[in-house]
Amino acid sequence: MNWNYALNRPHRSLASWVSLTLVFSTTILGATILGASAFGQVGAATGSQPASLNRTTLPIPQPQRPTYTELDVRDAKPPARFEVTAPKGAPNVLIILVDDLGFGATSTFGGPIPTPTLDRLAQTGLRFNNFHTTALCSPTRVALKCGRNHHTANAGSIMETSTAFPGNTGAIPNSVAPLAEMMRLNGFSTAAFGKWHETAPWETSVSGPFDRWPTRQGFDKFYGFIGGETDQWAPLIYDGVKKVNPPQVEGYHFTEDMTNQAINWVKAQQSMTPDKPFFMYFATGATHAPHHVPKDWIEKFHGKFDDGWDAVRQATYERQKDAGVIPAETKLPPRPEDIAAWDSLPEDHKTLFRRQAEVFGAFVAHTDHHIGRLVDAIEAIDQMDNTLVFYIAGDNGTSAEGGMVGMYNEMTYFNGVTEKVKDLLPLIDKWGSKETFPHMAAGWAVAFDAPFKWTKQVASDFGGTRNGMVVHWPQGIKNGGAIRTQFGHVIDVAPTVLEACQLPEPTVVNGVPQLPIEGTSLLYTFDSADAPDRHTTQYFEMFGNRAIYRDGWLARTIHRAPWKTTDLPPLTGDVWELYHVDEDYSLAVDLAAEHPEKLADMKALFMTEAIKHHVLPIDDRTIERANPALAGRPDVLGDRTSLTLYEGMEGMLENTFINVKNRSCTITAELEIPDGGASGAVLVQGGRFGGWSLHLREVKPAYEYNWLGMQRYLVESPTALPAGKATVRLEFDYDGGGYGKGGTATLSVDGRQVAQGRIEKTQPNLFSADETADVGIDNQTPVAKGIGYGPHETKFSGRIHRVVVEVQ
Ligand SMILES: O=[N+]([O-])c1ccc(OS(=O)(=O)O)cc1
């Protein structure tokens, strides 16, 4: 009989030590165990079997099964069961990623917002003050979870702005296996909670492919949302690839829900398989807009930002120096020119902006609180000591996408609409509630990115790319409570995890040869504050903002402010600056004029790195890239002018639905009305903060256009439909003459006009990032008034045979 046998268990179980000892001293089931691999793997081979497990090819091939000559099972012995287990002593891994939170926000890094969980982890862990992201969401997430640069993984910008060029296609190649897949194939239980935003928009429909959804990117379990943001009170949630409704509980908030899910999962996972380590990715939708926060949390921050953004920024900078989280000689660069001095603002502006910061501060604290519950739960099951935690406070800098005065509805940003302070002031008491979808003024983003100048999206400034990170691992870090200053980047996390877990970098995953990991493990810093930097070169690029770091120097150009989308200067005209980062932590002193040769070398190096990593050609287009045709990326609906929909089709995100914006369209619904009438949604798109709805209210057909939650247009039949079949048709005749114009809506029943009305303006670009198109229900928040709230109340009570949407 031939077999081979692999045994190897995590350190935690005493039984595993006993059995491991046995392995070396004796035979198991008659087979002698031969040898151990460099990675703690014990394997055995006879005949043609490999001598030990080789973890560089994943999945690890199963051994050949023995053949038997015995007729009677009583005379034969079975082989040992083959199982891939994690290397002995491998820690659990928890990667926490908060959204849109800059370096100068958290108390842990000198900011004004108390983050006791991050503080607590820092007391026994390490604070990294020279750690970087990509300046934007999807690119940071992809890079973090594969250890390669964002362009190497085709995630040069967010998924919604993918193009046809390598480096920017939005389709993570299979030569870039995610860390989660490596962990899963090495014997870890894997789970992801919260925000994903790594799936290309045209791959988010029911037709798939699902290859780039979390459960095919290495995670056994996923509970969260797929896109870039979600309503925290009424989120769009998937459990795996299945859309699920959030639990109906009073005061529901997604951060709390995802935390409950993560806690339940980790407890169950460790209860069932205590010897199997877990790999968890916990990425909150907070603190991205919408800033949705429970009122009692907001009240705790009342008055905390009264001094305004300049004073808050200055105070943070002083605290950062005092606490030693930034070098004592750090200078505070001036704020960007477009941001008004706080003292120059009218009093009513200040009143509004203070409230915006109170809500944001509360959002950050609330998020940290729930992260604390997860940490508590891991402590309660005695796993904290051997859990390697990365708490990354921000996937990029704080967001300035709120523009100069903030927004009651962030969708105005995506539709090029500027909100006015006078319209926002009446909403102050509702800021952060369900009735708002808010973002704050950019001045706060600059303050919460202290001591840096710029913000999210600016890849050429540390305000965009330098984020606070705490690493906590009692069994792996001897002298906690310290600061680490070595240069790091999100691509360094994956190799750190592999090294800490004694796993080799795989060269082949799922049959595909792998591109090498480009990050550098940070493990060398854990016990050595003074170890020389190992990550010495790093490019940065996002929508034309670009920089190159090498050996303590940074050359950069600020091509565009985050709020600038039109009239951009030519890339060739960009002015480059040079900074000696080792002596100028915040990039305050431009040395370009003093060291022109150095700058020329660095610019040349940028080009070399950019070519190598598929960063070129640089694409600084923003608005055009949101359009699939102009950007050159696939579009599920493509050039189709007609879409037929049936009952049960729901949860269709905007990128996987026919585009009715800026054009004429018709919607024809074949309905059946039971005796006693019917009501509810027929076909809707979007939600409370923008969209349109064809529905029956008290059996009367109606079309409601909800312009950004700010203006509603209702075209409603005065008469109810009789029982039986009916064809309800909406014709929208677009005025033309550009984007976002109005039109005339005509409603007819069985060919007879029943109502007509004007829709004075329409949304040109986006109804919603998370609200969907649905047949027969209105998921999440309702577009229209008067047909209920949520899928249960808005459900159509008749039959919908089909609905045809045609566009011109
Ligand atoms: O296109 N969207 O819907 C979208 C894009 C970006 C985004 O924010 S980001 O932080 O993920 O870039 C949110 C929503």
Side-chain angles (χ1 to χ4, degrees), residues 342-395:
W342 180 264
D343 287 344
S344 73
L345 294 170
E347 216 37 58
D348 58 345
H349 285 53
K350 289 183 180 171
T351 305
L352 172 68
F353 298 163
R354 286 180 180 123
R355 188 60 168 179
Q356 294 173 347
E358 289 166 11
V359 171
F360 182 74
F363 202 14
V364 175
H366 176 258
T367 307
D368 181 79
H369 165 76
H370 286 290
I371 292 169
R373 291 202 301 122
L374 175 60
V375 170
D376 289 346
I378 295 172
E379 261 162 10
I381 56 171
D382 291 330
Q383 287 301 314
M384 203 58 193
D385 278 358
N386 201 30
T387 298
L388 169 58
V389 182
F390 299 83
Y391 184 154
I392 307 173
D395 60 338

Side-chain angles (χ1 to χ4, degrees), residues 99-100 136-138 158 160 195 197 227-229 288 395-396 401 410-411 414 456 655 766 768-770:
D99 206 356
D100 279 8
L136 207 59
C137 177
S138 314
I158 52 170
E160 293 83 355
K195 174 165 169 174
H197 208 197
E229 64 182 41
H288 194 291
D395 60 338
N396 42 244
E401 290 156 4
E410 189 217 3
M411 287 304 118
F414 291 108
K456 175 183 179 182
N655 280 297
L766 188 71
S768 175
D770 65 326

Side-chain angles (χ1 to χ4, degrees), residues 673 676-681 695-702 716-722 785-788 796-797:
I673 311 301
S679 60
H695 57 264
L696 264 55
R697 192 164 66 109
E698 292 164 0
V699 212
K700 291 184 233 162
E716 187 170 35
S717 167
T719 49
L721 293 178
K785 286 193 166 156
I787 60 163
F796 187 64
S797 52

Side-chain angles (χ1 to χ4, degrees), residues 184 267 326 429 516:
R184 188 179 75 82
K267 280 160 64 180
I326 67 173
D429 289 337

Side-chain angles (χ1 to χ4, degrees), residues 10 12-13 83 92 187-189 265-278 383:
R12 282 158 294 200
S13 137
E83 186 184 9
N92 307 303
F188 286 68
S189 291
W265 180 84
V266 75
K267 280 160 64 180
Q269 187 274 338
Q270 284 294 303
S271 166
M272 294 301 296
T273 50
D275 289 345
K276 188 174 183 184
F278 63 83
Q383 287 301 314

